[in-house]
Amino acid sequence: MSFKKFIVSKGVIGALIIVLFYGLLMVGIYFSGYKVVPSKINQLPVAIVNQDKDSTTLKKQLKKKLAV
């Protein structure tokens, strides 16, 4: 079997179509999911979990800066 016959065969053409479709689908899902984040970044909740007694000043600074 020559290379040209292999490339033009139904299996290879079908696989290329599936790969292109899957790639476009993934790009579409990725971009549609992440375009909303920059416009609503100020609505994201923030939780401070402090289990270290040495970082209480950092906790106070974060609370002060993130308070609405």
Side-chain angles (χ1 to χ4, degrees):
M1 177 183 263
S2 69
F3 184 71
K4 185 176 181 180
K5 281 185 179 180
F6 174 73
I7 293 295
V8 183
S9 67
K10 290 181 185 179
V12 173
I13 292 174
L16 288 174
I17 290 172
I18 290 172
V19 165
L20 289 173
F21 178 72
Y22 182 77
L24 290 173
L25 184 69
M26 288 298 113
V27 167
I29 290 171
Y30 178 79
F31 283 123
S32 68
Y34 286 102
K35 70 179 180 185
V36 178
V37 173
S39 65
K40 298 187 181 206
I41 196 79
N42 59 349
Q43 297 176 0
L44 289 175
V46 176
I48 300 171
V49 178
N50 186 11
Q51 296 178 340
D52 183 14
K53 291 182 177 32
D54 295 333
S55 62
T56 55
T57 56
L58 177 64
K59 181 181 90 172
K60 289 177 186 176
Q61 290 173 350
L62 283 172
K63 271 186 155 179
K64 186 176 170 183
K65 291 284 185 183
L66 296 174
V68 178

